[in-house]
Amino acid sequence: MKRNIHNYKKFLLNKIKYLFQKTQFMFEHLPKKIAFKLSRVLLLSEIKYFIPKLNGAKNQSFLFSKNMIKNSDKPDYYINNYQFDKMDSFSLNVFIWSKFFADKDLLNKKINYLEIGCFEGRSSVFVLEKLQNAQCFFVDPFQEYEEMTESTNQKNFGAIYENFIFNVSKFPNRYHIYKETSDSFFDKLDTDKKFNLIYVDGSHLNDDVYRDALNSYEHLENSGYIIFDDFFWSWFPNMKDNPFFGICKFLIEFKQNLEICYVGDQLILKKLK
């Protein structure tokens, strides 16, 4: 009992600290109007997703600094058995995505799903399992690049690709793989091709994220959603090189046509028109 009380207290203190730090960060780097709007949705997101986030904390034994590289075993929320032996940077999103998919009536809907940046396919197979009527499009060059090798020391992309293929192959006829960059993919994509849900988790460089955002927006159905990963991720020494600034540039430019649905370590936007 005392242990549970201690963990819940630690969880609440972590949430308060998180809200304060992220709100301060946004007001330091954004115009006040958009910083206020994002901070408001951040607070509402923490309230609305309190239980999913608590479940996420329980799932990692309240270790908020969990080593995503060493702790990479297959979580028990998957139905099938998969080959995962690289880093796990997805598990913290699972309970949030589950609630979001349910709230937005996506679970049984026939949709086109696009994922930019797949790695071993943890998010890929989660969507394939959860959204059983989704037709999925996966884009990733599966090549070593400095951002990944320097920040997480993930280098064997041949093995990573093999794991990905093994994992998604459990869902025949429901996916398409494009082993190329997102720029190349969008350049060749039919202008009329639309998606209902897009997950952007490719290159984290500001300019690359901004370009992925623009291209995704052009191919997003009205009332469709874009999920940006690592909204507050800040690995690059030059702060302005990080994804936050590319995402916010896009958000400010298209603010009249976007609804901010969720703010946290990920950002979820809805296209209004």
Side-chain angles (χ1 to χ4, degrees), residues 213-230:
L214 291 179
N215 287 325
S216 295
Y217 181 86
E218 288 300 315
H219 291 277
L220 186 66
E221 289 277 12
N222 291 341
S223 299
Y225 300 95
I226 305 179
I227 303 175
F228 291 98
D229 195 40
D230 293 321

Side-chain angles (χ1 to χ4, degrees), residues 7 10-12 14-15 57 60 62-66 92:
N7 285 335
K10 185 167 68 169
F11 174 75
L12 289 170
N14 179 270
K15 291 291 109 184
Q60 61 173 11
F62 293 91
L63 297 175
F64 301 107
S65 58
K66 176 184 176 182
L92 285 177

Side-chain angles (χ1 to χ4, degrees), residues 29-59:
H29 295 287
L30 294 174
K32 287 185 178 179
K33 191 172 182 179
I34 187 67
F36 177 81
K37 188 172 184 179
L38 284 167
S39 297
R40 177 179 175 275
V41 180
L42 172 63
L43 175 59
L44 293 174
S45 298
E46 287 295 322
I47 295 171
K48 183 175 181 179
Y49 288 85
F50 180 84
I51 297 301
K53 292 191 176 209
L54 178 60
N55 289 334
K58 289 178 180 178
N59 188 62

Side-chain angles (χ1 to χ4, degrees), residues 12 15 18 51 53 68 72 76 97 105 181 227 255:
L12 289 170
K15 291 291 109 184
Y18 180 85
I51 297 301
K53 292 191 176 209
M68 68 179 183
S72 59
D76 59 9
W97 281 30
D105 295 323
T181 66
I227 303 175
K255 60 184 178 182

